[in-house]
Amino acid sequence: MSSPSHAPAARWSLLWLLALGLLLGFAFQGTRGLYSPDEGRYVDAALEMLDSGNYLAPAYSPDEVNFSKPPTTYWFIAASFKLFGRNTWAARVPYGLAFLATLLLIYGMGKRLVPDKPWLPALIYACSIFPFMSSNIISTDVFLALCEAVAMLGFVGAAFGDDEGRRKRNVLLMWIGWGLAFLTKGPPGLMPLLAVIPFIASRDGWRGLRRFFPLAGIVLFLAIGLSWYLVVILRYQGLLQYFLQQEVYNRLFTGAHHRHAGFFGWIVVYVPTLVLGIVPWWPGLVRGIRCALSEGTWKTWKNTHSAELFLLMWFVIPLVVFCLVQSRLPLYVLPLFIPLSLLLALEIRERVDLGKVRQRVWLGAWIVLLLAVKGVAAFAWHPPVDNRDAARELATFMPPEHYRALVFVEDTDQSYTIEEATPWGVRLYLDKPVYGIPWRAPQAAAGICHALRTAGSTLVIVDADFKPEDLKPALALCPPSRVTPLGAWRGQAVEWIQM
């Protein structure tokens, strides 16, 4: 228990952490457009939920469901649109809040593991480049990091606390967190369990694991984490096979998702993410590794550094799995910056003293630099994948009130190409449903006709690899009343089609 003299200091540190989290999480948060493919796709699915009223089945368009991710991310974005309106700022508000909440949860873990400076792990996480920049990216992984932080706060309280009543409550909190993580991203949300189980088994024996797997906890996990899966599997035929084949087997063992598969793919993705992402704190990490290696025997070190051992296992074991899995993206390792921040805090806590003017100036300058980078990305960088720019360009062909939907016809038979190439995010800016049609798929003609009949008046953007005339066989199945060529957009033909 903290002494009375420490209580005001702890409150002030928490207030400063809150202020920092609000500043870093919300500065320039709504000023950057949605980037393809992921940001536009998540926002499009949230808008489809709002427009259709179907919050159970995520969908790209009124015609195409999308079960590649559980619904939590879409629910958060849709709720924000309900509260704040349909704009880019509202799309990113949940990410600023998730970033702030994650800092508070890390602070809670810091109170147990770094009791003299509980704010330090959260400060490290907030000011590291990768977690900071990730808070501005619409993805599932920011929410996954939050849910895993909930689970691990419960575990840390249960594994390193002394009060039996609190321990039981913390175990239940841990399983609530696992349920939320599974509902956010499926099996990857349980990755820290790969560290929890061997750590408890090595410290308390296999019988000690029973205290962390109570029936009430398992029931909570099943109710929160699996209920949605059960409902949609019963409602949509073939979905169980899709989950097991496409989202589990293919991601684990094949390069079907085109995400840096192969023997060296993990080096390309994860090494620079971790090395650059932990800047400016990595010198402390190097010193910590050197110190651990010079501590003597492994048995001696692990017996005297229980917290460090657990954090090391929490970081290393999931990282090894991520490296072996054939679907790899930088954001997958975002949750690992939580144990990394706690490890760094334990290593550098004696050298960090914000009472010193030099350290405060250094920290302030770094925060200004982080905000400047975020500002430049928002105002000065406009890559081709910016869906707001795409929407502005498309609006020059015809006022949006003259058509009811956009149809992007791609010269492919792959659903993956449709997911990646279609600028789904223009839906937010033009307020029109977006359809992606794989031209070489067997049902392409029927898909085009259905989209045209549903919308009535449609803006059709045709892949640059073939000509608008190539659509004539498909349009013959549903003869339009009028086809008006409007010109070319980024090398692709644009036509206004009225049914």
Side-chain angles (χ1 to χ4, degrees):
M1 181 179 295
S2 299
S3 65
S5 61
H6 289 165
R11 284 196 295 269
W12 275 109
S13 66
L14 182 57
L15 287 174
W16 278 111
L17 184 63
L18 278 168
L20 179 64
L22 288 169
L23 175 64
L24 295 179
F26 286 92
F28 307 114
Q29 189 70 334
T31 51
R32 179 172 65 80
L34 301 175
Y35 287 179
S36 288
D38 292 338
E39 290 195 324
R41 189 165 62 235
Y42 290 128
V43 168
D44 174 80
L47 291 170
E48 181 60 30
M49 282 184 171
L50 290 172
D51 292 341
S52 67
N54 183 355
Y55 292 89
L56 184 66
Y60 294 136
S61 66
D63 291 344
E64 187 176 1
V65 294
N66 167 31
F67 286 103
S68 61
K69 294 292 185 295
T72 304
T73 300
Y74 313 120
W75 288 345
F76 278 128
I77 299 172
S80 185
F81 284 148
K82 273 282 192 181
L83 289 172
F84 304 112
R86 300 188 178 196
N87 54 72
T88 311
W89 185 81
R92 299 192 191 280
V93 163
Y95 293 86
L97 292 175
F99 178 72
L100 178 61
T102 303
L103 295 184
L104 297 179
L105 292 167
I106 296 173
Y107 176 85
M109 286 182 261
K111 289 178 68 176
R112 180 67 62 182
L113 300 177
V114 196
D116 51 334
K117 292 178 181 175
W119 47 267
L120 183 55
L123 178 68
I124 292 172
Y125 185 87
C127 293
S128 296
I129 288 180
F130 192 65
F132 165 72
M133 296 304 295
S134 298
S135 69
N136 190 240
I137 298 174
I138 295 176
S139 69
T140 59
D141 301 282
V142 174
F143 297 134
L144 180 62
L146 171 62
C147 295
E148 289 189 10
V150 171
M152 298 309 278
L153 175 64
F155 173 75
V156 167
F160 295 95
D162 299 322
D163 185 276
E164 182 63 18
R166 289 186 178 179
R167 187 196 65 78
K168 291 181 178 179
R169 291 193 294 272
N170 280 321
V171 169
L172 294 181
L173 176 63
M174 179 184 75
W175 285 106
I176 290 172
W178 293 139
L180 293 172
F182 201 85
L183 188 60
T184 300
K185 204 171 180 179
L190 304 182
M191 200 72 76
L193 267 176
L194 299 178
V196 164
I197 293 173
F199 173 75
I200 293 300
S202 65
R203 192 190 69 172
D204 303 336
W206 290 106
R207 290 186 177 182
L209 282 172
R210 290 185 298 181
R211 300 190 308 155
F212 293 87
F213 287 79
L215 178 61
I218 302 300
V219 169
L220 278 172
F221 168 75
L222 294 175
I224 297 170
L226 295 184
S227 54
W228 174 81
Y229 290 92
L230 179 61
V231 170
V232 295
I233 286 171
L234 292 175
R235 182 168 296 188
Y236 293 90
Q237 186 177 4
L239 195 54
L240 178 60
Q241 181 181 355
Y242 168 82
F243 282 143
L244 296 177
Q245 174 70 32
Q246 185 72 6
E247 297 302 321
V248 177
Y249 179 83
N250 283 351
R251 288 184 184 274
L252 287 175
F253 303 112
T254 76
H257 291 269
H258 306 281
R259 293 177 175 176
H260 304 96
F263 187 79
F264 296 105
W266 65 272
I267 299 176
V268 175
V269 177
Y270 296 139
V271 170
T273 299
L274 292 168
V275 172
L276 299 178
I278 202 63
V279 170
W281 310 99
W282 65 265
L285 184 63
V286 172
R287 285 193 293 268
I289 295 172
R290 187 182 303 157
C291 180
L293 293 177
S294 62
E295 283 282 343
T297 66
W298 166 252
K299 184 176 181 180
T300 301
W301 184 87
K302 75 172 187 176
N303 289 337
T304 56
H305 296 78
S306 180
E308 289 91 335
L309 173 63
F310 163 65
L311 294 172
L312 189 63
M313 294 173 73
W314 179 6
F315 175 76
V316 171
I317 295 176
L319 178 60
V320 170
V321 175
F322 282 130
C323 292
L324 294 175
V325 168
Q326 294 301 300
S327 178
R328 305 174 180 121
L329 288 176
L331 279 168
Y332 291 175
V333 296
L334 175 63
L336 299 187
F337 280 79
I338 299 174
L340 194 56
S341 298
L342 288 158
L343 272 170
L344 278 167
L346 287 169
E347 169 59 25
I348 68 174
R349 58 185 169 180
E350 294 180 1
R351 291 189 290 274
V352 174
D353 182 3
L354 296 183
K356 296 179 179 179
V357 174
R358 186 178 68 175
Q359 291 195 18
R360 289 203 306 270
V361 169
W362 178 90
L363 179 61
W366 179 251
I367 291 171
V368 169
L369 180 60
L370 288 176
L371 294 175
V373 170
K374 196 173 180 182
V376 169
F379 293 109
W381 192 39
H382 300 282
V385 294
D386 191 326
N387 286 182
R388 181 165 54 191
D389 289 346
R392 288 171 179 163
E393 294 168 7
L394 289 170
T396 64
F397 289 91
M398 176 171 288
E401 58 268 21
H402 290 180
Y403 56 91
R404 297 178 57 189
L406 295 101
V407 176
F408 291 85
V409 183
E410 305 291 344
D411 187 21
T412 182
D413 61 352
Q414 300 292 319
S415 59
Y416 173 81
T417 303
I418 293 296
E419 293 177 9
E420 298 292 305
T422 305
W424 303 102
V426 300
R427 179 173 187 162
L428 177 66
Y429 305 108
L430 298 176
D431 194 25
K432 310 291 178 185
V434 174
Y435 295 80
I437 304 294
W439 174 247
R440 298 189 180 277
Q443 300 300 318
I448 292 174
C449 285
H450 182 74
L452 295 177
R453 289 195 186 105
T454 301
S457 178
T458 311
L459 204 66
V460 178
I461 297 90
V462 182
D463 195 311
D465 289 338
F466 61 98
K467 299 176 182 180
E469 304 88 75
D470 296 333
L471 289 182
K472 288 182 178 180
L475 296 180
L477 301 176
C478 50
S481 62
R482 186 176 183 182
V483 178
T484 306
L486 299 178
W489 172 73
R490 300 183 179 181
Q492 303 175 70
V494 180
E495 294 188 335
W496 180 37
I497 300 180
Q498 296 170 279
M499 297 300 293

